[in-house]
Amino acid sequence: MAEVLLTEDQLDHFRVRAAEIAHPRELVIDVLRAIQSNFGWVPDEGVELTGEILRLSPLQVEEVATFYDKIFRQPVGKRVIHVCDSVCCWSRGAEEIYAHLQKTLGISPGGTTSDGVFTLLPTCCLGACGEAPAVMIGLTTYGDLTPERLDEILERERAALEE
Amino acid sequence: MPTITIDNQRVTVPEGTNVLEAAKKLGIVIPHFCYHEALGAVGACRLCAMTFLEGSDKGPKLKGVHMSCMVTARDGMVVSTLDEESADLRRHVIEWLMMNHPHDCPVCDEGGECQLQDMTVAGGHGIRRYRGLKKTYVNQDLGPFISHEMNRCIQCYRCVRTYQDYCGGTDFGVLGCNQRIYFGRFRDGTLQSPFSGNIVDACPTGVFTDRTYRFRARPWDLEEAPSVCPHCSLGCAVIPGARYRELQRVRAGVNAKTNGFFICDQGRFGYGHANRPDRPRSPRLGEREVSWPEALGALRRELEIIIAEHGSQAVAFLGSSRASLESNAQLLELARFFGSENFALEIDPERDRAARTTAALLGECARSQEEVRRSDFVLLVGADPLNEGPMMALAVRQAVRAGGSAALIDPRPVELPFAATHLPLSPQNLPEVLKALAEERFERFSARERTVLAGISARIKEAKRPVLIGGGNLLGSSGAQLLIEAARAFSRGDRACGAALLLAGPNSFGSALLAAQSPGPDRLLAQMQEGRIRALLCLESDPFADHPEPGRARMALSRLKLLAALDYLPTETARRCDIFLPTTAPAESAGTYVNFEGRMLPFGSVFDPGVPIQITGGGDHPPRSFEAHTPGSLPRPAWAALAALRGDSLSLAHIRRNLQRSDARFAGLAELEEGGEGRRVNGAGQMPGHGPELPKHPSAEGALRLVVTECLFGSETIASFSPVLDPVRPAPVVRLHVEDGVRLGIHDGEKVRLRTELGDLAVEVRLCEAMAPGIVVLPRLRQGEWEIFVPGVHRDCILQKEGG
């Protein structure tokens, strides 16, 4: 992960876009996600930089940044596991999945594995009710989970990171 | 006008009223949090549920349980608030809102005026069933005015809707979502909005409380009365609260015609003047403290001796715009009693002329704050509302939020809590631009200026309810006249164009009405210099600090044989006068202010004067010595002291009756209710004589025009004597156009020497783009070396680099 919040190109791009459009505020998510993808999470400086680019106060950016649970305002592991805790998943064994993850990874909700690979978080509905129970790891959604399938998936995710 | 039935009672309400308001009209108060008259309905708290038994005759049938704040009353509706289903829902909602609320009422400052407490009882929730852990939060330091206690929050969003939506603040808001909602700032720090205190009033419970009043009193122990804010000319309704002979806080009052529901932080936290330990509280002859009869007797004798030797005109009387209408009227009575025609009711000659011109010409053009809120186009000319009348900035903001627009013509870099086109023209061009707008002739202006001005002119013409707002300080008398004439020129048969002028003090308009026969402060000063005026009696006026030419004023004052003063502030005049009479602070006596639009606003007396127990007890328990008199209780209302000088003892009611009998413009004054909407005066003032011509161009080569401007928390007299505001006093910086900075080689943030005919000053420079070139903008800061610079005077200055 790069140690910069935004590259020079990204900075230029967002500055030009912000000047072009009537409501630069609509770019908040785009800028925050770009920072997150570079830096792994959004530090205070990232919020302030976003505000400066979009001519918003840090608070106005923070309101949006903290509203969404997929914008991370604290350091997280390389892959964040979002476990769906909405009603369809409950009814199809999400609690078992959640417990299994905690046991396998040795962390509680909100925690990060000691090797810095996985962070475990609950999330509201992932929109994958048809294949409940579901989790999202990074930006990939996995459905129809069983503890066994989950172990394979974790293995694969870990391997992908090492490549 | 729909008629609806609520709990078997019929009520007819104006079109568009919601059912919650309609019920209120019947005296049925249903618990609610998120709905607020000024903030509107959002249907978020789910508390105001009512059962709709019959929908309306027309439109969609509405039946069952609905949130009454979200339903517009329609003819034929039948609603029940007593129905078991909605009562049960309300009971559950309140139980749920109370789930995380701490039971810390005994140590909570909101206790006794907590809407949550009231509504919980009203909603029928008594016994807590939830046994789990409660959510807790880390609080923030929000600065010197507001305490933060997030654990008490019930997520009604009123604070954010007040701070961001109504007041335009951007540094406080709502963070997180669902179970993680947090109301606060990005980081700890002082709230930046000059209207921050309103979240204390808006919060229905104790999340935001007045930090300056923390742990001082329970509301039921406070002495309160409806009052009027004394800090600017807008006349906002306030409710000061006092305990133990100490003014402890001020909260917003409600006046639909003036402030609505909110006030600015200067009005809320500028109260410390009444409690100052150094406040003069005893009549004085020279340095000697004396009794009232002795002081009054001595003053009268001295005046009579001077009159006997030099004639009646040798005694002069100086009122002020911070003294009440009644006190100024009594000062005139006194002048008449002694046969003197030498009086003025404002020391600053240009402010005097500007207020008198406004009072003479405004007439039917006058617009209230409420009318500005409902305007669809506002043009500000030479007006800086955040600094000269903060609530006016919010009034314009409401107009803009409702779809209106605004423009500003001003040399200064004016900050506004709303979007507006800004045309920075130099101060000497402001009269010209007003003339050009009225005549629609823009050829004297540059191409860019022409385009903006033509646009402004078109928008005024299109608008249905346009208002022109000017600032008395920058426009002066001739500018005020031109502004009102422009408003007349833009008025047509089908609709009028309004005007408003921000004046200097709470009673500028009232003093101006009374000042018709005044020769003006200039003549007074000249006669003092010539030795023809030998005695001056100052009513809540400080000629040492407030005359734009301090040197001349000092010279003139030094020639007096007798300087007498009535005041409640330890001003220089109060300290240096020969005879001093202590008067009551605004919250300590009743009176009337006539605000910027000519509205008479009577205020009540909150508490009796006396040295606060905090001081007499040395901060500890009240002293255990007993005496017949309250220490420091000698101050009297100025009107009473002035009447006593004539040997008269009049009640305030009597003074008001006399005033309205002798002057039809004040008709109805005696019947006005304190805390009411007030009433516009019935008739105009008289035009003052001409003032000196403004110099067109800087006299010296390389000189810049010095524009001294009012600044919030720094300029206003009463607030400057209020220590509560000390943490937020503005920084002493001057502002300069970027181009001038380049030309003079001065950088942003650089310290330079400002040279004027009044003397030199080391100043820090801020470079700005949104201002006129060729000027230096300097804030009026009291009680320091900057005090000599008074707004409204056009002076030259030179900026010189240190060591250059």
Side-chain angles (χ1 to χ4, degrees), chain B residues 409-456:
Chain B
I409 304 176
D410 200 296
R412 301 166 290 185
V414 175
E415 258 181 64
L416 296 168
F418 50 85
T421 314
H422 181 192
L423 180 63
L425 288 182
S426 61
Q428 60 270 32
N429 280 343
L430 294 180
E432 207 177 325
V433 85
L434 284 166
K435 243 181 273 175
L437 275 170
E439 295 164 4
E440 267 194 89
R441 294 169 61 115
F442 306 125
E443 58 266 27
R444 275 164 300 175
F445 296 90
S446 74
R448 199 189 84 81
E449 290 164 357
R450 266 205 300 275
T451 319
V452 179
L453 289 172
I456 288 172

Side-chain angles (χ1 to χ4, degrees), chain B residues 219-237:
Chain B
W220 56 75
D221 285 327
L222 283 176
E223 299 170 77
E224 290 190 322
S227 191
V228 178
C229 182
H231 296 287
C232 80
S233 67
L234 297 186
C236 299

Side-chain angles (χ1 to χ4, degrees), chain B residues 323-587:
Chain B
S324 66
L325 179 71
E326 292 88 347
S327 299
N328 277 302
Q330 281 304 302
L331 187 75
L332 291 202
E333 281 292 320
L334 191 65
R336 231 167 276 147
F337 175 81
F338 285 114
S340 171
E341 285 161 11
N342 279 328
F343 75 92
L345 301 182
E346 164 70 62
I347 181 62
D348 185 314
E350 199 48 42
R351 282 184 163 177
D352 178 60
R353 277 191 292 270
R356 286 162 74 179
T357 303
T358 305
L361 301 177
L362 195 58
E364 79 297 339
C365 283
R367 292 294 180 270
S368 65
Q369 283 190 66
E370 169 60 9
E371 286 163 307
V372 172
R373 287 193 285 271
R374 286 192 284 109
S375 162
D376 54 351
F377 180 71
V378 179
L379 173 64
L380 297 146
V381 185
D384 179 357
L386 276 183
N387 291 308
E388 295 169 340
M391 283 305 292
M392 186 57 96
L394 282 201
V396 183
R397 176 175 166 80
Q398 306 322 310
V400 172
R401 283 179 73 206
S405 57
L408 165 77
I409 304 176
D410 200 296
R412 301 166 290 185
V414 175
E415 258 181 64
L416 296 168
F418 50 85
T421 314
H422 181 192
L423 180 63
L425 288 182
S426 61
Q428 60 270 32
N429 280 343
L430 294 180
E432 207 177 325
V433 85
L434 284 166
K435 243 181 273 175
L437 275 170
E439 295 164 4
E440 267 194 89
R441 294 169 61 115
F442 306 125
E443 58 266 27
R444 275 164 300 175
F445 296 90
S446 74
R448 199 189 84 81
E449 290 164 357
R450 266 205 300 275
T451 319
V452 179
L453 289 172
I456 288 172
S457 162
R459 273 148 84 191
I460 301 176
K461 279 192 260 170
E462 284 159 22
K464 294 194 179 69
R465 298 173 301 280
V467 183
L468 313 185
I469 301 177
N473 286 332
L474 213 54
L475 291 184
S477 163
S478 57
Q481 178 170 359
L482 288 166
L483 183 99
I484 296 166
E485 280 168 4
R488 294 239 156 80
F490 279 113
S491 293
R492 304 184 301 251
D494 61 331
R495 67 111 181 90
C497 176
L501 278 137
L502 302 173
L503 302 174
N507 192 49
S508 282
F509 201 110
S511 296
L513 288 175
L514 294 174
Q517 308 301 322
S518 163
D522 268 342
R523 289 281 305 134
L524 252 50
L525 221 57
Q527 292 187 66
M528 279 154 63
Q529 273 173 311
E530 291 156 11
R532 280 192 282 158
I533 290 178
R534 301 291 180 112
L536 180 69
L537 177 60
C538 302
L539 163 64
E540 294 169 8
S541 172
D542 184 10
F544 282 102
D546 284 334
H547 196 276
E549 292 170 83
R552 194 178 145 222
R554 267 158 212 279
M555 176 75 79
L557 289 161
S558 72
R559 299 215 56 192
L560 289 172
K561 196 164 164 240
L562 173 70
L563 176 63
L566 297 88
D567 213 327
Y568 53 90
L569 296 174
T571 64
E572 189 172 350
T573 305
R575 283 197 305 273
R576 294 176 53 159
C577 64
D578 306 306
I579 300 181
F580 177 77
L581 304 175
T583 60
T584 48

Side-chain angles (χ1 to χ4, degrees), chain B residues 594 598-602 667-669 671-672 677-682:
Chain B
V594 183
R599 183 178 298 276
M600 299 184 282
L601 295 161
L669 172 66
E671 287 77 46
L672 284 178
E677 288 186 350
R679 177 176 170 164
R680 286 228 181 108
V681 291
N682 178 32

Side-chain angles (χ1 to χ4, degrees), chain A residues 123-150:
Chain A
T123 184
C124 56
C125 187
L126 289 168
C129 308
E131 36 187 320
V135 303
M136 188 167 88
I137 302 180
L139 294 174
T140 319
T141 307
Y142 299 94
D144 294 322
L145 294 174
T146 59
E148 295 73 35
R149 222 171 97 66
L150 200 53

Side-chain angles (χ1 to χ4, degrees), chain B residues 113 198 200-201 210 212-213 219 222-231 235-243 246-255 258-264 266-271 586-588 602-607 674-676:
Chain B
E113 53 186 357
N198 289 308
V200 172
D201 288 348
D210 183 338
T212 70
Y213 160 73
L222 283 176
E223 299 170 77
E224 290 190 322
S227 191
V228 178
C229 182
H231 296 287
C236 299
V238 290
I239 303 173
R243 190 187 185 207
E246 183 183 23
L247 194 52
Q248 296 195 328
R249 71 161 185 193
V250 174
R251 63 190 172 103
V254 178
N255 184 341
T258 61
N259 58 314
F261 293 83
F262 304 112
I263 55 172
C264 71
Q266 180 155 282
R268 188 181 299 268
F269 301 112
Y271 62 78
E588 294 165 346
F603 53 91
S605 168
V606 177
F607 70 119
E674 288 153 6

